[in-house]
Every structure is written in C-alpha cells, then in structure tokens.
Amino acid sequence: MSEGFDSYTKELFDALFKETSATAEVPAEVRERIGQLFERAKSSENLTQPIVDLFLELLNAAKNFKASPEAFGIKREELVALARKHEEIDEHHVTIGGRVMRAIPIVEEANRRVEEYLRLKDVEAPSGIELWDQIQKNMERIKKRLGMTDEEWNTFNGQLKHAINTVEELAKVIDLPEDAIRDVARVTQHYRMRISPYYASLIMPGKINDPVLLQSVPTGEMIDNAGIEIPPVAADHSPARLIDQFYPRVVAVKITNMCAMYCTHCLRIAHIGKKDRIYPKDTYKEALDYIRKNERIRDVLLTGGDALMLPNHLLKWILDQLLEIDHVRMIRLGTRIPVTVPQRIDDELLDILEYVNDKKPVRVVTQINTAQEITPVSKEAFKKISKRVSAILNQAVLLKGINDSKVKMWKLCETIQEAYVRPYYVFNCSYRNPQFAHFRVPVEVGRDIIESMYGNISGDAIPRYIATAGGKVPLHRSNVMGRADNRVILRKPWDGTIAEYPDADPEKYFCDDKFAFAKYGWNR
Ligand SMILES: *Cc1c(COP(=O)(O)O)cnc(C)c1O
Ligand code: SF4
C-alpha cells in the first residue's frame, strides 16, 4: 500500500480489507447505521468523532460478519480520504489508525481495571459525605442523650466537655451488646477512652466492626493480646526533652500528650493520654534550645499527642520561636483534630497558620484511616486550612477491618484528595505494641493494596507504604526486573505486564564531560 500511512493505519486498513468480503451478509440495521455514519463522516467539516465512529463500526462489521467496507458501498479511496482528513483536523495529527487500533483499546483495557472498584466503592467504603444523612441523625441522637446545646456541639470546648470517657457514657450514645459493654469496662480500667461526640456520630448504628467504632472504642484484645511490650519509640529515639529524632535534618517535638480522641491503635500509647498534662514553658524552651543548637535541623514536626490540643496563644508562641531560628526552614503540625473535632479549626488558628506560612512553609500532617471520616464538616475544615498552609498531608495506618482492602484504601485516598488532603504515607501497623496486634496486616497484603493504585488513580493520590523501624522504611516492590543489554526490564505495577526501557547511553553519561555549552571555547 503506498498511501503513505503510519503502521497503525495500515493495520487498520488491513483489518478492514484483508480476509473480508464485499458480498458478506450483514443485518439490515448494521447496513443502515454504517450508511448514516458514512454520510456524517463525509459531511462534517471539522470533527474527528464522526470519522472515528465510522471506522469503529466498519471494524466491528469486519470482525463480526467478515464484511469489507465495499459491502456497504464504501470504496477504499473514500476511506483513505477520510483517514487523511482525520489526521489533518486533529491538532496533534493523531492518525485514525493510532486512535482506533491503539488508543481506544488501551483505554478500554484500562477501564476494566477499575470496574470492580467503581461498583463497590460506595457500598464497601462509603464516605462520611455519602453517609451524611445517617450521621446527622446520629448527631441529633447523641446531642440529646448527652444534653448538649447547639453552641456546645459547635465548639471545641463543648465537644471536649462532653467527650465520652466512660463506658456508661458510651452505652448512652451507642447501642452495643452487653458482653461488648462489659469488655469495654474491663479495658478502660487500663486504657484511656475519649471520643468526641462529633466523632461518635460517625459510627454507624448496628454495624459490626464499624471502622470508626474500631478506631475509637477499645476492645478486650488490648489487654488480652499476649506479648512483650517493646519500649516506646521515645526510649530509643529521644535525644532531648520532648524530642524524637532519628534523622539528621528532621525532628519531631511532642508538644503535648493529649488528643481529642484516643485511637485504639495509637503508636504512642505508652505516653499518650494516661493523664492530660499541660507543660510549662520551660519544657518547650529546653526542646527549642536543642533545635537552636543543632544547625542541621531544617524541618520541625510539632506533634503529640495532637498539636492542635494546645491553645492558640501557646501554639503561636512555639511557632514564633521556630520562626526565629534561622536554620529551621519548614514546620509541620501533626493533628487528627480536623477529623475528630473539626470545630477546633477557628479563625484565630487559621490566621496563625497563614501568618507562619507566610514566613516559612507550614504543612499540616493529619491521620485519616477511612473515607467515613470525611464528612462535609471535616472537608470544610480541611478546605479552610488548605487556603492558609502550603500542604495538608495524610499519614494513614493500615488496619485490619478498617482499611485493609483495595476498595477501602483506594476510596480513602480518593476521598481525602477531594477533601484537599494529599495521601502521604500508609504505615504498616507497628509491631512494638502487643495492645493492637489484632489490627496488624501482613506487609505484603498492604503492599499489594498500595501498588494496585498505580496507573488506576491520580499519581498524587498514591501514598508511600512504610514500616517504622527506627526511621521510615519504604515497603514497595521494585518494578525493575532486570536488564537486557542496555535496556531495563520494567514491570507495570497495575497489571504486571512487562515493558522494555532503553537506558541512558553509559558512554555519553560517564565519559563525555564536554557536553552542551561546555564544548564551546569559554575560558571562564
Ligand atoms: C515521622 C517522623 C519524622 C518525619 O519523617 P518524614 O519522612 O520526613 O515525614 C521525623 N521524625 C520522627 C521522629 C518521625 O517519627
Ligand atoms: S491522634 Fe495520634 S497520638 Fe493521638 S491517640 Fe491517635 S494515634 Fe495516638
């Protein structure tokens, strides 16, 4: 064929004209449809779609009835003209063959990879936005049973004042079976429970192992899990008061031991929430001195507990101190409060965030483990924060029954991204605390879940999968399978297919120093 087409278009014409017949029998409706498509493709001046539609339909006829275009009275030259027209109209000169033989099938193949997720995402992992009607009913019930005013519901102090701390209060707002209540009573003698009324309203009534219930109400395993308690992280990683450090340039400062809700899977369970403590300023001064003296430190993560448990004036004081330390270039605030008590995000706090972010980039690092934790209220809180800081990042913990399936984890990542939060890390639940051994998920189960996201959801909604083992260690699988000559064999994480990737020419990279402008005779 000397029509001057690219190989894809040649392939397309072969499929239409080779091994097909001009006298094939074709149902009348197909004949009629192709006739119409042909007229439309010829008459439309500046559109590509009618041409694509015609070729797709002709391709189907060739496949299904072995019918060539001539069976519909369409001559090869006419199709050649349409193919040329397509290439001319298209801004990027995409050929009809490229579009029909490659691009469209590739998209169809890709679509199949997300079908199951799209079918299940709102059933298996509904977000708090999708559950909003039920959550609002829960809110009304809880408000009434706890005797809260609207004013109290809508303020941080009101939420904390009415937080559910005892099994008796819990039984008032959530219907749990008798034996569950007994178990919670037993566990709360050893471990702190605190659930803000708002967070409690996210629990779906009657649902066994509701993911918000699991995260906030401690169960018998916490004391029954046998095992040796490994000393808390602070024991081997705290070089100074309040400081945790295992990296040269990043430190965490545990500015409080309080949280608005105590997680049943808390990594810092040994030093969080035993007893609420307000630290005197001297305590912070010692931590700040450590940072001041260590000029390598450039990124300071204020965490806890929950950094936003501090009152605004104290938070501002600490932030001002950090602004004054020249080598500290960025600041992070670790907080779960936007999902546990979003009412905390007041204008004064937002102004402080903007004021600091104007001087040094501030990132808010949060923890959201299920889409259910994103409601219109928490989304609004994140939206407001996002306007005042440089990024909001999420560190989720991989937890059995909570987010340990493809559907749940994808849904979490998509939902938070739509709520102005960028998925950052997913932690494999730590081995250090036997209290939550029942929540642990095997490393490779988590790896397969996270890697299944590549190519299927936005790249910036894909978190890194991490084990905390004296620093954060990525658990991802290598997709470099090996080498053939100077080509690298790559595995595509979304379907395991192989691609060969020609590597850089080692001669050019290692041996050629005089490249680009260096080859000109500049004597500088
Ligand atoms: C998580 C953590 C950091 C921050 O690590 P990044 O990888 O920079 O997010 C720093 N210090 C400690 C002690 C931490 O636990
Ligand atoms: S918010 Fe963080 S520090 Fe507080 S209880 Fe939950 S996991 Fe622990």
Side-chain angles (χ1 to χ4, degrees), residues 152-437:
E152 284 174 325
W153 185 275
N154 292 321
T155 57
F156 184 55
N157 286 340
Q159 285 284 334
L160 284 196
K161 184 176 149 203
H162 290 279
I164 297 148
N165 300 301
T166 64
V167 69
E168 290 77 23
E169 289 163 336
L170 182 71
K172 257 200 254 176
V173 299
I174 293 164
D175 293 324
L176 287 172
E178 277 296 314
D179 45 351
I181 298 277
R182 265 198 306 280
D183 225 17
V184 176
R186 186 167 65 97
V187 180
T188 46
Q189 286 168 5
H190 303 267
Y191 292 105
R192 183 95 180 255
M193 175 173 71
R194 174 194 264 165
I195 314 170
S196 66
Y198 166 82
Y199 198 72
S201 75
L202 310 186
I203 297 170
M204 289 299 117
K207 183 163 179 207
I208 299 167
N209 281 353
D210 175 273
V212 174
L213 179 74
L214 282 179
Q215 289 182 69
S216 54
V217 176
T219 55
E221 287 101 331
M222 282 186 82
I223 36 185
D224 298 339
N225 281 341
I228 300 163
E229 190 147 343
I230 298 163
V233 179
D236 36 322
H237 290 295
S238 184
R241 200 170 186 179
L242 303 189
I243 303 267
D244 275 358
Q245 182 173 19
F246 29 65
Y247 302 138
R249 309 210 67 195
V250 193
V251 294
V253 191
K254 297 161 289 177
I255 59 175
T256 170
N257 75 330
M258 298 184 279
C259 296
M261 187 277 284
Y262 291 110
C263 308
T264 51
H265 56 272
C266 177
L267 181 71
R268 299 180 193 272
I269 200 158
H271 37 122
I272 290 299
K274 284 260 145 68
K275 189 164 174 288
D276 290 350
R277 284 181 57 200
I278 309 284
Y279 309 153
K281 269 195 184 161
D282 279 346
T283 316
Y284 298 119
K285 280 186 182 144
E286 241 185 276
L288 289 162
D289 277 342
Y290 179 82
I291 296 169
R292 208 172 279 118
K293 282 199 298 252
N294 288 277
E295 294 189 2
R296 287 185 185 84
I297 298 168
R298 71 181 270 281
D299 186 355
V300 175
L301 168 51
L302 298 179
T303 177
D306 193 307
L308 294 187
M309 287 303 281
L310 257 52
N312 288 337
H313 66 88
L314 187 52
L315 199 58
K316 169 132 189 327
W317 178 82
I318 295 172
L319 289 164
D320 268 327
Q321 302 285 305
L322 291 175
L323 287 178
E324 274 169 30
I325 302 173
D326 187 50
H327 58 266
V328 172
R329 299 296 165 85
M330 18 239 306
I331 297 165
R332 281 188 251 188
L333 286 168
T335 177
R336 254 204 115 170
I337 273 179
V339 290
T340 57
V341 193
Q343 292 81 359
R344 166 73 179 88
I345 312 305
D346 55 40
D347 288 340
E348 191 181 57
L349 172 68
L350 292 167
D351 288 344
I352 294 170
L353 293 178
E354 182 173 349
Y355 152 84
V356 179
N357 188 60
D358 256 358
K359 297 177 165 54
K360 297 178 184 181
V362 173
R363 292 100 85 221
V364 166
V365 182
T366 191
Q367 185 198 142
I368 312 162
N369 297 319
T370 58
Q372 196 165 324
E373 289 162 279
I374 295 293
T375 66
V377 181
S378 52
K379 181 173 174 174
E380 181 67 18
F382 283 124
K383 182 164 91 183
K384 286 182 180 164
I385 297 169
S386 75
K387 291 181 185 170
R388 312 291 190 103
V389 300
S390 65
I392 310 173
L393 307 171
N394 187 47
Q395 308 194 134
V397 185
L398 180 64
L399 298 162
K400 179 178 170 182
I402 293 177
N403 54 20
D404 60 332
S405 77
K406 196 171 107 169
V407 171
K408 288 173 183 169
M409 188 57 82
W410 289 26
K411 181 70 180 281
L412 167 67
C413 291
E414 290 196 339
T415 306
I416 65 174
Q417 195 190 30
E418 290 162 26
Y420 306 86
V421 179
R422 160 119 203 245
Y424 177 44
Y425 284 147
V426 167
F427 294 116
N428 185 268
C429 184
S430 173
Y431 66 95
R432 288 184 88 114
N433 305 70
Q435 291 93 332
F436 42 75

Side-chain angles (χ1 to χ4, degrees), residues 10-60:
K10 281 192 194 120
E11 212 180 291
L12 171 60
F13 274 81
D14 283 351
L16 294 178
F17 288 97
K18 275 199 182 160
E19 291 169 39
T20 54
S21 150
T23 56
E25 281 206 21
V26 180
E29 72 265 20
V30 174
R31 194 172 288 284
E32 194 181 327
R33 192 162 57 239
I34 288 185
Q36 286 165 357
L37 288 173
F38 183 49
E39 288 311 314
R40 190 144 19 105
K42 278 194 298 187
S43 62
S44 63
E45 282 292 308
N46 222 350
L47 295 175
T48 55
Q49 194 59 47
I51 302 174
V52 172
D53 290 342
L54 172 68
F55 273 94
L56 284 174
E57 203 57 47
L58 285 172
L59 212 48
N60 278 338

